[in-house]
Structure formats: C-alpha cells, structure tokens
C-alpha cells in the first residue's frame, strides 16, 4: 500500500520535537521555518479525576458580591493559571520519558493546539536517544489505536540534526537542559552514542550529577546567591549577552583570561607609548594571565601597589574600591605623562570603554526583567482584564523559564547591547548587591478569597555583574562534555570513521546557546587531544585519511556530497531500518567501504598479502584526531541563521517529514526506502506496534 | 539433544513465532565490556565496560561515569577467565543494562526523584518557575516485574562452571521475573553469527584467547582450549616494551593532561598536568591507562604477516625496513615505532619472542602451549580426525583483539604451516562491530529464531526443577 504514501501535502504534516523543557511544534513543513510553537513540556494531573491538563487549575472559592462565605460545591470555581508550575509533571527528564501517561497526554495537547483533524495529519515526532524500545512502541500504539493518525515517523534527534545540516558524517553534541548527548553519525547512520548526565531520576537523588545547560545556571546561582539572586534571575542572566564562556587559554591558571578591572590602563599606555610618552610601560604578556585568581589576594595586593598597570581584579572587586583606585591611577598617569600631551589625549579617548567587548570588561550591567503580578484594588468592570495579560504572560514566562525560548529574546538583547553598555558606564553602580535584594518576590496567587484581580507588570532592573558572569563556566562540566565527545568519537569501532566525525562537530540544543561555550569546548579538545603533525609523522605515517581504499566518489569528503537545494542524505545503511531517501539511486555509485554490512568482499589494501582472507576491508590505522572542526552551517536559510542552528533538529525533522511523507515519483527502491521511513496505518495494522522498529528513522 | 539445529546461514532473523511476539534480551558479559540488547537487532544497544565505579559505598555503571572523582575506585565484576566473580555486583550491572537502560523508566516516588532537593534553593524560594513539585505515582507492581515480558539469553564462557551457571540463572529468574531464559556458550554463538553451525572458533578476546570446535551447533567439550594471550596480555607486552624502550615511555592517561604542546619525536613531553584535589586511585589510573594502550594497539601494533616467524633473520631485517608509525601519547610525547610494533604481538605466535611479563602487574608470561597455533593444535587434537578438515575449512575468528592489523594473514600462514594440504578457510567479519560483538550477535540471531522459541527454559520448568535445570537443558 505504498501508493498511499506520498500523498500528503506539506502543510498537513505535524512536526513535534519534544524536549525536557520545551517542545517545538508546527503544522506544515513547507517553509522550513523555525518552530511556530514552543510549548513548555509539562502536564498537570487533576487530583480528583487523574486526568491530565495542560495548565494548572486552581480551585478557588467563588466570592459572591456580598462576600458571604459559600456553602455548596457550586460555589467553587476553577481557574486555569497558565503561568503556574505548581504540581507540574515533566514527562521527559534528561531525555528519558519518565511518565508515559503524561507524555501521551501532552502529545494530545500539542496536537490539539495545532490542528483538529487526525485522519489526514501524519505526525513526525523526534525521539531522544534515551527512549527505549518499549517507549517507542507504546507511543506507536497510542498514536494508532487512540487517534486516527494515518502515519507516524519517529526520528532520532541526532539524525534529525543531520538532516537539518545535511553533512553525511558528523558528531552531534546536543546540550540539553539536564543532559548532553553525543551522537556520532557516519553515512547517516548512528555509529556511536554517549550521554552525559545522571542515569536516571533516582541517581540524581543519590547525588549523581546532571549535565547540560542547567549545570551552568546552578553554578551561576551558586556564585550570585549571596547577592540575592534567584534561580530565575540566574537563568535570565545566563541567557543574556553579557554572560559568556571565555576562550580557553592553555597557560592561564584558570584556563581563561579574565578581564582586568581597568583594561583602559594598559591600552591607554600602549597608545601613549606610540605617542611618545616617556614612562609608558609596555604591556606585559603574563600579567593578564596571572590576574584574576581569588585565592591570591596576598600576592596580588603587592602588585596593585607596586606595579604600574597591573591590577588584580579580584582584589579590587572584593574591596569595592574600584573607582577610587582607578581615579588615583589615572591621576598619577596624567601627571607622569605630561610630557606627551598628545598621548594624554589619546588616553582620555581610550578611557571610554564603550567600545570594549563584553569579554574585556570586568563588570557589566545586566537588565533583569520580570513580570510581577500586582494586586489591583477591586474595580467594578474587570472580568476580561485578567485573561488578556495572562495570555501575554504565558508567552513571556515560557521564554524565561525554558531553555528553548531564546531566539526572539536573545535577538532583542543583542540589539540592546551597545546601549546597555554605555548606560552602564555613565551611571556607575557601586553597590550591586543591594539592588537585587530589594527585588520583589513574584507573588504567587493568593488562595484566600480576596477579590483576586491582578495586573501583570514588567519590571526592569539593572544589576551590575562582576566576573561571575565568566566564572560560571564550570570547568568540571566542560571537561565532562569534552571527555564524552572524545570518548564517543574515539569509541567508534571503525577507525576510518573517526576523522570525518572529528571534522564535523556540531553543537545543538539550547544549552549550547551560552556564548562561547562551543568555542571553548572545541579549544579544550584541541589543546588536549589534537595529534600534532610532528616531524616524524609528516614523512612516515600513513596518509591521514583512508585514501588507501579507492573510492573515487568523493563520498569521503564531506564537501563532495554537499549540494545546495533540498537537503538530503546519501547513505547506504542496509543494516539499520533507516534507509534515507534516494539511497537506491546512490548506493550503486557510492562504493563506501564498510558502510555495508560485512559479507562484502574485502578490498585488500596494498599491504595485505593474503587475498584469500576475508576481512580487513580497511587500512586506516592513523591516530585521531588530527583535525577538530565545527561543521559549517548552511547559510541559505536566513530565518534559521537568525534563529541559530541550535534548533537544527527541528529543521531536520521538517526536511525528513517532507522526504517521508511528501515526495512523489520515486523509483521502486526509492518507494521502498520511503516506506521504511515511517510507519503507516496500513503497516501498523499488519505489524503492530513493533513495526516502528523497522519503519522509523531511529538510526 | 540436538536442540540447536544447523542454521541456514542467510536466514533473516525473525522475531515472530506463531504470531506471538518475542522480545528477548541478549546479555553477553565479558571481561572488558558487557553487551546487552534486544534479540533480532544487529548490534547490542548497550555496551558498557565491565569495570564499574565504586564511590562512597555506591556502585556506578557505564563508561560515562568513569571520570576522576574523589574516593573513586574502579573494579570489575568479571574475572580474567571471563567468568563472573562478584555476583552481587553482576546482578546490579545486568539490571542496569537490562532494566534501566533497555526498559522504560519507571516513575520514582517524588521523595526520591531528586527534583525536590536540587540544592539551589528554588524549592523554597517561592520561585514558581524553578523545578516544581512533581507528583508521580508509585507503581509498585511495575517495579516488581520489570522484565515480565522478556526472555533473557545469557552467554557464558566455554569453561563456565556448573555452579556459576546456576547462579546466573538464579539472578535472571529471581530478580526481574523473566518468563524464560537460556544460556549459551560464546563460541557456539560466534559461529552462528558467522552463519555456521560447524566451525573452529578462534576467539581472541580481552582477557583470554580460546579455541573451540563447534559441531552442528554443539560445543565439543574436549576441544576447548584457552590461554590468557588476549588483549590484557598484549597490554602487558606493550608495557614491557615501553619499559625497555630508550627513553622509557611513560604512560600518562589523558585524564591527567589539561593540555599539551607539540614536541619533537623522542623529546620529553611538554604538557600541563591536570590537578585534582583528591587522590586518584591506582585502579582508576590503570583503567585509564588501558584506554591509551588500546589506542596504541589500534593504530600502531601490527602482526607480522610474512612467511615464517618474525624471529627469522631476514624477516627481522625486513620488518626494520618497513615504514614505522608514530604514536603520540596523551601527554604529547611521540615516538616512531618500527620493528617493535611487530615484535610486541609476536608472542601470540611464538612464545620465545615475547617480552618478559611486566613487573608489578598480575600478567603471567606466555608459555609454550599457550600461543595461538599451539591452542589450535591442541584443540584439533581433541576432536575426531574426520571432523578436522571440516573445521579447518570453517575457521571463525572473533574477539576484538583479533582486529589487530595483519592478524588474519598470520593466522592463515600459521594454519597452512601446521596443516599443509588441508584447505583452510578463515571467516572473519569485516565490520569491527561484528568481530567485537560476535557472541552477542549470534545470541541475537538465535534468540530471535522462530525455531528457538520452543527451546527457552520457562519459568514453570525453572520453578519445578530449580536452577539445576540449566545443566540438564543447556548442554
């Protein structure tokens, strides 16, 4: 019944990418746009009926006009509060489905948000690598037996990312909320996978560490807690443009180069030096590196006094006399440099740190925004009012709490950035710690029957943040992620696959949006693991790729199979059920060795002298990695470039949905592989839930 | 009992028998790693080291958790004979694989799920957007029968003792309420994976090497030969080689390196060590060193594949003239390895060429009867003369140490020399996964065969006869 397939229209397809915090969903995959809908992945169980609802429902005593206490049950009213997370069940935790019932109810909810029809809405659902086979079968069973969905396609999140970015070989590092997944893909097949994070909820309780974006928020919170920061503030700060992971500096004791308190000084010196100022000292390379260790107060205290231009940031920050100190320094300098008037001018100019990038500034101002529900004194005509702002707030709150919600927001903050910076400098804020403590706590909805009318008010506060915004980059966590990447790639059984996976790293997941995190991980990996081409290697080692095996198709070079236009994967993967489309047409020409399950006669390399012995298809034994690179991201999808490719899996899911559901006019083999991409109702009736094992894109 | 019938080699595994669905699990414990997955799949879904972490009274499993920690020790629940040593932990490791990783997670009670005590104060800071309370239902019945629908097939070494088999069955049947089980010997399964019911299985694994004759799906007990000449022994040889090298090579595992700078070949390493404010247990370090040695084996070590032994004068000369390979240690020091990379594996074939066993490690020296050719000879001597040609025509090579470059060529040469005039055909899977997980794949095929469905030992039989039934049924 494969003729049944391919007859859906692009706008009928429901694409759902569930995450632990946020689920991305959209109806239609024609435009390849960023997700239309971002929904917090949570459900609420009704205490009485056990039913699942999308929003928290509060039972309140209805207050009659005369204020009488009520007696009968009719007097209770149910108020849906979309902002509340009270009693929420998060069906996915660290990628695992921990509550299938809630998850299925959630799917139903997502579906109902987007469309009302079932019979002509095939579903493309992204699956985390942690989903087990019984999970997947339970989902298939539900979808086909409880709804009238015509076809279901499950796609592995790593494969989905790959469809979005369309390199045939890549290592996908998915930095999620509480987990990090490393998936190595070769020829569109998952060849290795590792996940970092606590192995399950119980392990978290036992003290096993979570991983992912949440770790950084907690760390940031830990650093700023005594300044009165709340979790929400830390989360917002983490997402702001001033929070960033500094580049990896191999020699520095902290492995990053923290900005000095007054980078103005050395810079001005440099300028003055050029202008002929006599005493301007050249900037010393090691100073910046040495600065910034909180534990070295004693040592650095000397430095502050004795050495010109060398400042210990931590010391200054701790003592809070920055401004005075700087003023003094400036004055001294001015006096000394009176010979070179020109230099002085320059200095003054340079002293405006407006142009300095965030990473060079010891302090920066963070604009914290929160929505406060204000109680409004009772007003006569009020009934419509609460509903409207509430909806507004839902959108906004979603953005604040969830990993997924950033794009729009971060765009906004980025736009604001320059303005903020100048603001921050014009009105120095000497005591940053006092302000946040005054921050009004978000009031939770009161339960007493006190005429609850609320107004949502957006409050914006400026908080000056010191070096904490760099120090939150937890080395242990970065080490953990980079070790996982290293082990995952080096753990690929077939060595010839490793170089391609090293050369096409890609970071997805909204945890990877933290500024500088990807670069830092790459730099860490390179500094730690890169095999340098030593003099000996250059002349004697094997060729650095599997050139010994004749391919001649360019399939080994990622660029070779990279063509513009609709993304596609060309990969012979006869072992897994996932046969990407068009495989048929390409398998014949792609003599990719080993991509096919054994039994293929070995191609003996030049050094093999036993032709009768099967096996040894490859003679790739070079050490890896000799090259660690981020995969290039496509540039022709401007909306995605704006959105950032951290959500590339959603793009890929759309692309895959098109291929699985919408492509017509395929040859016989193409039709067959298309049929194996998704489970149709016809196939389900024949095979049952286990059909999803073979009829899916689970890698 | 001819319970394991010859397999048609190309039979596509099917997991349906009489309309009933069988989602059997296959568990293949080995010294270095333990493999588990669903029958009918082509690779095990879960492969974790048999080494596990022990920290503060807790045991933690999986490669991901083996990172430097305070008070952290690395242990192994298997012994070097590839037989379970610590049954308490074995049950935990297996549960981790079969239940935690392969089955859906069961809701944990909110008091224990860790979401309510995340330590960042969000729980009590009146912060509605942090992790909220999670109301979850306890489902006690589910907890009791996690594998009520999955028969389990466990592999075992050919020399596994009756006691240990019974124990394994007990663990499987008592802990997770499995409906049925089976135990099968690794060589038989490796032969199945290669599509053969009769084969001479040469399994060069992590801790030992075994040579076993399998006839019609039955292991011939008298033919079983084993020695410790496997991956671990080879690591010992590499260590000895490093030790005698000039300058001495120091194995610094990568977890101790923060970053490194390129240095000239043979020059001392220039790296920044990572500092830990706790002590690193020797067992953890040894485990991590093994990773480095594995990489060395993958990219440098090669088996001499020319005519005759490496020790023959002209061969040694020739090996020296071969292009060397450079290996860079995690600390950045690197060196060219020329004839040594052949020499280090020569002990597998020629006990006189082996390096002395490294000091301080419990790795014995290879003796005369323990080389691979000697094992094969002893194995074939133990079987009927009439069977030998058939076996030699179906030599199945499996085990990850057999992935050494040139291994098959050498094995072929040795067999030709040992048995001139007999047709020798070596079957070694081309894909490294198939070689590494040979026994698991065989188990996966076997357990998913429709004809195997009637072979399972059911819970009822187990309850009737006790664990002893495994001795009677799984011959």
């Amino acid at each position: 019944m494969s003729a049944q397939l391919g007859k859906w229209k692009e706008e009928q397809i429901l694409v759902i990418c569930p995450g632990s915090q946020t689920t991305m969903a959209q109806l239609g995959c024609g435009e390849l746009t960023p997700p239309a809908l971002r929904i917090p992945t949570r459900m609420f169980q009704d205490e009485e009926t056990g039913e699942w609802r999308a929003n928290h429902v509060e039972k309140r005593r209805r207050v009659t006009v005369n204020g009488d206490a009520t007696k009968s049950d009719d007097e209770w009213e149910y108020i849906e509060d979309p902002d509340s997370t009270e009693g929420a069940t998060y069906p996915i935790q660290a990628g695992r489905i921990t509550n299938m019932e809630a998850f299925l109810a959630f799917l139903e909810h997502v579906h109902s948000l987007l469309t009302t029809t079932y019979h002509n809405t095939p579903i493309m659902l992204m699956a985390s690598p942690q989903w087990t086979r019984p999970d997947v079968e339970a989902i298939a069973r539900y979808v086909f037996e409880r709804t009238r969905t015509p076809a279901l396609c499950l796609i592995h999140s790593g494969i989905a990312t790959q469809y979005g970015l369309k390199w045939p070989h890549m290592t996908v590092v998915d930095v999620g909320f509480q987990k990090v997944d490393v998936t190595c893909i070769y020829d569109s097949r998952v060849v290795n996978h590792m996940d970092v994070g606590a192995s399950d909820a119980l392990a978290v309780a036992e003290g096993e560490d979570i991983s992912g974006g949440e770790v950084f928020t907690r760390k940031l919170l830990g650093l700023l807690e005594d300044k009165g920061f709340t979790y929400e503030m830390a989360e917002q700060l983490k997402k702001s443009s001033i929070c960033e992971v500094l580049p990896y500096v191999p020699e520095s004791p902290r492995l990053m180069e923290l900005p000095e308190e007054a980078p103005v000084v050395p810079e001005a010196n440099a300028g003055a030096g050029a202008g002929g100022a006599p005493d301007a000292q050249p900037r010393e390379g090691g100073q910046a590196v040495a600065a910034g260790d909180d534990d070295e107060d004693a040592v650095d205290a000397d430095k502050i006094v004795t050495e010109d231009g060398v400042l210990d940031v931590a010391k200054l920050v701790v003592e809070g006399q920055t401004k005075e100190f700087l003023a003094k320094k400036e004055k001294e300098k001015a006096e000394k440099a009176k010979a070179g008037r020109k230099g002085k001018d320059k200095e003054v100019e340079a002293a405006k740190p407006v142009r300095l990038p965030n990473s060079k500034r010891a302090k920066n101002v963070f604009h914290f925004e929160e929505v406060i529900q204000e109680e409004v004194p009772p007003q006569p005509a009020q009934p419509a009012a609460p509903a409207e702002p509430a909806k507004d707030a839902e959108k906004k709150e979603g953005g604040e709490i969830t990993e997924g919600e950033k794009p729009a927001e971060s765009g906004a903050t980025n736009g604001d950035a320059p303005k903020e910076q100048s603001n921050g400098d014009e009105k120095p804020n000497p005591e940053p710690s006092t302000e946040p403590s005054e921050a009004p706590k978000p009031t939770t909805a009161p339960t007493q029957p006190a005429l609850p009318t609320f107004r949502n008010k957006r409050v914006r506060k400026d908080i000056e943040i010191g070096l904490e915004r760099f120090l939150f980059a937890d080395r242990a966590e970065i080490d953990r992620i980079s070790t996982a990447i290293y082990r995952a790639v080096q753990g690929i059984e077939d060595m010839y696959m490793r170089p391609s996976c090293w050369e096409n790293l890609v970071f997805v997941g909204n945890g990877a949006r933290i500024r500088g995190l990807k670069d830092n991980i790459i730099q860490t990996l390179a500094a730690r693991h890169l095999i340098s081409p030593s003099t000996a290697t250059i002349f004697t080692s094997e060729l650095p790729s599997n050139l010994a095996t004749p391919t001649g198709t360019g399939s080994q070079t990622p660029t070779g199979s990279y063509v513009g236009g609709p993304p596609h994967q060309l990969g012979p993967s006869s072992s897994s059920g996932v046969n990407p489309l068009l495989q048929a047409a390409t398998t014949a020409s792609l003599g990719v060795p080993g991509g096919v399950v054994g039994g293929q006669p070995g191609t003996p390399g030049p050094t093999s002298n036993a032709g009768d012995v099967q096996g040894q298809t490859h003679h790739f034994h070079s050490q890896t990695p000799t090259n660690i690179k981020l995969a290039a991201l496509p540039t022709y999808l401007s909306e995605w470039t704006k959105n950032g490719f951290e959500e590339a899996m959603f793009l890929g899911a759309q692309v895959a949905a098109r291929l699985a559901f919408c492509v017509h006019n395929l040859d016989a083999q193409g039709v067959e592989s298309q049929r194996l991409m998704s489970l149709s109702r016809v196939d389900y009736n024949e095979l049952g839930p286990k059909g999803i094992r073979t009829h899916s894109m689970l890698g | 009992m001819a319970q394991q019938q010859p397999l048609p080699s190309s039979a596509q595994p099917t997991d349906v028998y009489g309309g009933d669905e069988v989602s059997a699990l296959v568990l293949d414990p080995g010294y270095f790693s333990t493999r588990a997955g669903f029958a009918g799949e082509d690779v095990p879904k879960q492969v974790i080291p048999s080494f596990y972490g022990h920290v503060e009274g807790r045991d933690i499993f999986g490669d991901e958790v083996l990172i430097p920690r305070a008070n952290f020790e690395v242990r192994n629940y298997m012994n070097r004979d590839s037989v379970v040593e610590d049954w308490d932990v074995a049950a935990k490791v297996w549960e981790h694989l079969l239940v935690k990783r392969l089955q859906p997670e069961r809701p944990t009670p909110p008091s224990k799920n860790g979401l309510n005590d995340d330590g960042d104060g969000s729980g009590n800071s009146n912060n509605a957007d942090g992790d909220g309370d999670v109301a979850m239902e306890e489902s006690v019945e589910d907890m009791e029968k996690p594998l009520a629908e999955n028969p389990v097939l466990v592999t075992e070494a050919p020399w596994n003792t009756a006691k240990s088999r019974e124990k394994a069955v007990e663990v499987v049947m008592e802990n997770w309420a499995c409906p049925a089980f089976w135990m099968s010997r690794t060589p038989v399964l490796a032969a199945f994976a290669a599509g053969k019911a009769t084969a001479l299985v040469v399994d060069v694994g992590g801790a030992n090497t075994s040579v076993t004759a399998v006839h019609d799906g039955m292991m011939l007990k008298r033919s079983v030969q084993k020695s410790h000449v496997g991956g671990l022994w080879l690591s010992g040889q590499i260590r000895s080689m490093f030790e005698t090298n000039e300058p001495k090579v120091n194995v610094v595992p990568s977890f101790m390196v923060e970053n490194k700078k390129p240095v000239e070949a043979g020059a001392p390493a220039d790296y920044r060590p990572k500092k830990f404010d706790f002590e690193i247990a020797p067992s953890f370090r040894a485990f991590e060193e093994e990773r480095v040695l594995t990489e060395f084996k993958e990219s440098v070590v090669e088996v001499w594949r020319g005519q005759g032994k490496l020790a023959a004068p002209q061969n040694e000369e020739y090996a020296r003239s071969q292009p060397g390979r450079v290996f860079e240690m995690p600390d950045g020091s690197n060196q060219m390895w020329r004839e040594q990379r052949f020499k280090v594996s020569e002990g597998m074939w020629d006990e006189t060429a082996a390096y002395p066993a490294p000091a301080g490690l419990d790795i014995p020296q290879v003796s005369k009867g323990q080389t691979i050719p000697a094992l094969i000879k002893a194995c074939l001597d133990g079987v009927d003369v009439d069977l030998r040609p058939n076996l030699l025509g179906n030599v199945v090579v499996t085990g990850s140490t057999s992935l050494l470059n040139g291994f098959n060529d050498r094995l072929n040469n040795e067999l030709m020399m040992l048995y001139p005039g007999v047709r020798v055909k070596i079957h070694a899977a081309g894909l490294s996964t198939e070689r590494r997980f040979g026994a698991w794949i065989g188990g996966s095929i076997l357990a998913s065969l429709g004809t195997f469905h009637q072979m399972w030992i059911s819970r009822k039989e187990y309850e009737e006869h006790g664990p002893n039934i495994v001795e009677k049924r799984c011959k």
Side-chain angles (χ1 to χ4, degrees), chain B residues 240-259:
Chain B
S240 300
M241 180 176 83
F242 284 174
E243 207 58 35
T244 52
N245 190 57
E246 208 48 61
K248 223 170 89 176
V249 178
N250 195 12
V251 182
V252 179
S254 61
F255 82 91
M256 296 176 70
V257 178
E258 176 56 55
N259 52 56

mmCIF file of all heavy atoms in Angstrom, chain B residues 240-259:
data_model
loop_
_atom_site.group_PDB
_atom_site.id
_atom_site.type_symbol
_atom_site.label_atom_id
_atom_site.label_comp_id
_atom_site.label_asym_id
_atom_site.label_seq_id
_atom_site.Cartn_x
_atom_site.Cartn_y
_atom_site.Cartn_z
ATOM 1 N N SER B 240 55.824 -3.706 28.792
ATOM 2 C CA SER B 240 57.209 -4.159 28.876
ATOM 3 C C SER B 240 58.055 -3.489 27.804
ATOM 4 O O SER B 240 59.198 -3.104 28.041
ATOM 5 C CB SER B 240 57.283 -5.674 28.686
ATOM 6 O OG SER B 240 56.548 -6.320 29.669
ATOM 7 N N MET B 241 57.462 -3.333 26.640
ATOM 8 C CA MET B 241 58.198 -2.707 25.556
ATOM 9 C C MET B 241 58.496 -1.253 25.896
ATOM 10 O O MET B 241 59.606 -0.761 25.679
ATOM 11 C CB MET B 241 57.382 -2.788 24.274
ATOM 12 C CG MET B 241 58.029 -2.168 23.079
ATOM 13 S SD MET B 241 57.046 -2.424 21.613
ATOM 14 C CE MET B 241 55.861 -1.125 21.742
ATOM 15 N N PHE B 242 57.505 -0.560 26.449
ATOM 16 C CA PHE B 242 57.705 0.824 26.861
ATOM 17 C C PHE B 242 58.818 0.910 27.894
ATOM 18 O O PHE B 242 59.636 1.814 27.896
ATOM 19 C CB PHE B 242 56.418 1.395 27.465
ATOM 20 C CG PHE B 242 55.365 1.738 26.447
ATOM 21 C CD1 PHE B 242 54.106 2.150 26.848
ATOM 22 C CD2 PHE B 242 55.632 1.659 25.093
ATOM 23 C CE1 PHE B 242 53.128 2.479 25.919
ATOM 24 C CE2 PHE B 242 54.662 1.974 24.146
ATOM 25 C CZ PHE B 242 53.405 2.391 24.574
ATOM 26 N N GLU B 243 58.785 -0.081 28.774
ATOM 27 C CA GLU B 243 59.738 -0.120 29.872
ATOM 28 C C GLU B 243 61.165 -0.239 29.346
ATOM 29 O O GLU B 243 62.078 0.434 29.808
ATOM 30 C CB GLU B 243 59.398 -1.334 30.738
ATOM 31 C CG GLU B 243 59.772 -1.261 32.174
ATOM 32 C CD GLU B 243 59.155 -0.094 32.910
ATOM 33 O OE1 GLU B 243 58.008 0.319 32.632
ATOM 34 O OE2 GLU B 243 59.867 0.414 33.784
ATOM 35 N N THR B 244 61.358 -1.085 28.340
ATOM 36 C CA THR B 244 62.701 -1.331 27.829
ATOM 37 C C THR B 244 63.099 -0.327 26.769
ATOM 38 O O THR B 244 64.215 -0.342 26.287
ATOM 39 C CB THR B 244 62.779 -2.741 27.227
ATOM 40 O OG1 THR B 244 61.721 -2.887 26.288
ATOM 41 C CG2 THR B 244 62.651 -3.805 28.297
ATOM 42 N N ASN B 245 62.172 0.497 26.386
ATOM 43 C CA ASN B 245 62.461 1.450 25.321
ATOM 44 C C ASN B 245 63.450 2.504 25.824
ATOM 45 O O ASN B 245 63.559 2.760 27.018
ATOM 46 C CB ASN B 245 61.168 2.111 24.860
ATOM 47 C CG ASN B 245 61.356 2.913 23.607
ATOM 48 O OD1 ASN B 245 61.793 2.392 22.596
ATOM 49 N ND2 ASN B 245 61.041 4.193 23.687
ATOM 50 N N GLU B 246 64.150 3.089 24.908
ATOM 51 C CA GLU B 246 65.122 4.135 25.230
ATOM 52 C C GLU B 246 64.741 5.413 24.511
ATOM 53 O O GLU B 246 64.787 5.458 23.288
ATOM 54 C CB GLU B 246 66.518 3.664 24.804
ATOM 55 C CG GLU B 246 67.673 4.228 25.574
ATOM 56 C CD GLU B 246 67.513 4.177 27.078
ATOM 57 O OE1 GLU B 246 67.385 3.083 27.660
ATOM 58 O OE2 GLU B 246 67.511 5.275 27.652
ATOM 59 N N PRO B 247 64.277 6.460 25.099
ATOM 60 C CA PRO B 247 63.997 6.603 26.530
ATOM 61 C C PRO B 247 62.730 5.837 26.927
ATOM 62 O O PRO B 247 61.894 5.572 26.078
ATOM 63 C CB PRO B 247 63.767 8.109 26.672
ATOM 64 C CG PRO B 247 63.226 8.525 25.347
ATOM 65 C CD PRO B 247 63.877 7.631 24.327
ATOM 66 N N LYS B 248 62.645 5.581 28.180
ATOM 67 C CA LYS B 248 61.494 4.861 28.700
ATOM 68 C C LYS B 248 60.197 5.638 28.412
ATOM 69 O O LYS B 248 60.158 6.852 28.531
ATOM 70 C CB LYS B 248 61.657 4.710 30.217
ATOM 71 C CG LYS B 248 61.286 3.354 30.712
ATOM 72 C CD LYS B 248 61.683 3.188 32.167
ATOM 73 C CE LYS B 248 60.577 3.629 33.086
ATOM 74 N NZ LYS B 248 60.881 3.399 34.491
ATOM 75 N N VAL B 249 59.189 4.907 28.001
ATOM 76 C CA VAL B 249 57.930 5.590 27.701
ATOM 77 C C VAL B 249 57.038 5.536 28.924
ATOM 78 O O VAL B 249 56.824 4.481 29.502
ATOM 79 C CB VAL B 249 57.219 4.927 26.505
ATOM 80 C CG1 VAL B 249 55.908 5.620 26.235
ATOM 81 C CG2 VAL B 249 58.114 4.960 25.293
ATOM 82 N N ASN B 250 56.574 6.691 29.268
ATOM 83 C CA ASN B 250 55.734 6.803 30.442
ATOM 84 C C ASN B 250 54.279 6.944 29.983
ATOM 85 O O ASN B 250 53.961 7.806 29.190
ATOM 86 C CB ASN B 250 56.177 8.044 31.218
ATOM 87 C CG ASN B 250 55.622 8.046 32.602
ATOM 88 O OD1 ASN B 250 55.092 7.022 33.048
ATOM 89 N ND2 ASN B 250 55.719 9.178 33.271
ATOM 90 N N VAL B 251 53.431 6.074 30.470
ATOM 91 C CA VAL B 251 52.032 6.162 30.048
ATOM 92 C C VAL B 251 51.295 7.140 30.958
ATOM 93 O O VAL B 251 51.087 6.872 32.131
ATOM 94 C CB VAL B 251 51.354 4.783 30.099
ATOM 95 C CG1 VAL B 251 49.926 4.898 29.602
ATOM 96 C CG2 VAL B 251 52.126 3.789 29.274
ATOM 97 N N VAL B 252 50.946 8.265 30.388
ATOM 98 C CA VAL B 252 50.147 9.247 31.130
ATOM 99 C C VAL B 252 48.750 9.236 30.514
ATOM 100 O O VAL B 252 48.578 9.655 29.386
ATOM 101 C CB VAL B 252 50.769 10.656 31.023
ATOM 102 C CG1 VAL B 252 49.925 11.657 31.775
ATOM 103 C CG2 VAL B 252 52.176 10.655 31.539
ATOM 104 N N PRO B 253 47.779 8.748 31.222
ATOM 105 C CA PRO B 253 46.438 8.702 30.636
ATOM 106 C C PRO B 253 45.878 10.092 30.403
ATOM 107 O O PRO B 253 46.297 11.046 31.069
ATOM 108 C CB PRO B 253 45.608 7.941 31.674
ATOM 109 C CG PRO B 253 46.387 7.976 32.921
ATOM 110 C CD PRO B 253 47.811 8.154 32.566
ATOM 111 N N SER B 254 44.976 10.202 29.484
ATOM 112 C CA SER B 254 44.566 11.538 29.045
ATOM 113 C C SER B 254 43.819 12.310 30.120
ATOM 114 O O SER B 254 43.766 13.525 30.065
ATOM 115 C CB SER B 254 43.741 11.459 27.770
ATOM 116 O OG SER B 254 42.584 10.713 27.986
ATOM 117 N N PHE B 255 43.242 11.631 31.092
ATOM 118 C CA PHE B 255 42.542 12.408 32.112
ATOM 119 C C PHE B 255 43.491 13.247 32.949
ATOM 120 O O PHE B 255 43.070 14.173 33.639
ATOM 121 C CB PHE B 255 41.697 11.493 33.016
ATOM 122 C CG PHE B 255 42.461 10.824 34.126
ATOM 123 C CD1 PHE B 255 42.560 11.425 35.372
ATOM 124 C CD2 PHE B 255 43.091 9.602 33.931
ATOM 125 C CE1 PHE B 255 43.258 10.819 36.407
ATOM 126 C CE2 PHE B 255 43.788 9.001 34.954
ATOM 127 C CZ PHE B 255 43.872 9.609 36.197
ATOM 128 N N MET B 256 44.781 12.936 32.903
ATOM 129 C CA MET B 256 45.737 13.699 33.701
ATOM 130 C C MET B 256 46.313 14.881 32.942
ATOM 131 O O MET B 256 47.120 15.631 33.478
ATOM 132 C CB MET B 256 46.876 12.790 34.154
ATOM 133 C CG MET B 256 46.404 11.695 35.081
ATOM 134 S SD MET B 256 47.708 10.583 35.522
ATOM 135 C CE MET B 256 48.697 11.639 36.561
ATOM 136 N N VAL B 257 45.929 15.012 31.702
ATOM 137 C CA VAL B 257 46.501 16.067 30.875
ATOM 138 C C VAL B 257 45.486 17.183 30.710
ATOM 139 O O VAL B 257 44.374 16.957 30.244
ATOM 140 C CB VAL B 257 46.886 15.506 29.491
ATOM 141 C CG1 VAL B 257 47.436 16.613 28.612
ATOM 142 C CG2 VAL B 257 47.891 14.385 29.637
ATOM 143 N N GLU B 258 45.863 18.379 31.111
ATOM 144 C CA GLU B 258 44.972 19.511 30.884
ATOM 145 C C GLU B 258 45.144 19.974 29.442
ATOM 146 O O GLU B 258 44.178 20.139 28.721
ATOM 147 C CB GLU B 258 45.303 20.637 31.863
ATOM 148 C CG GLU B 258 44.510 21.910 31.672
ATOM 149 C CD GLU B 258 43.014 21.694 31.720
ATOM 150 O OE1 GLU B 258 42.537 21.143 32.714
ATOM 151 O OE2 GLU B 258 42.309 22.070 30.756
ATOM 152 N N ASN B 259 46.374 20.188 29.049
ATOM 153 C CA ASN B 259 46.628 20.447 27.645
ATOM 154 C C ASN B 259 48.079 20.138 27.354
ATOM 155 O O ASN B 259 48.881 19.976 28.265
ATOM 156 C CB ASN B 259 46.272 21.885 27.269
ATOM 157 C CG ASN B 259 46.915 22.895 28.182
ATOM 158 O OD1 ASN B 259 48.130 22.912 28.331
ATOM 159 N ND2 ASN B 259 46.100 23.725 28.822
#
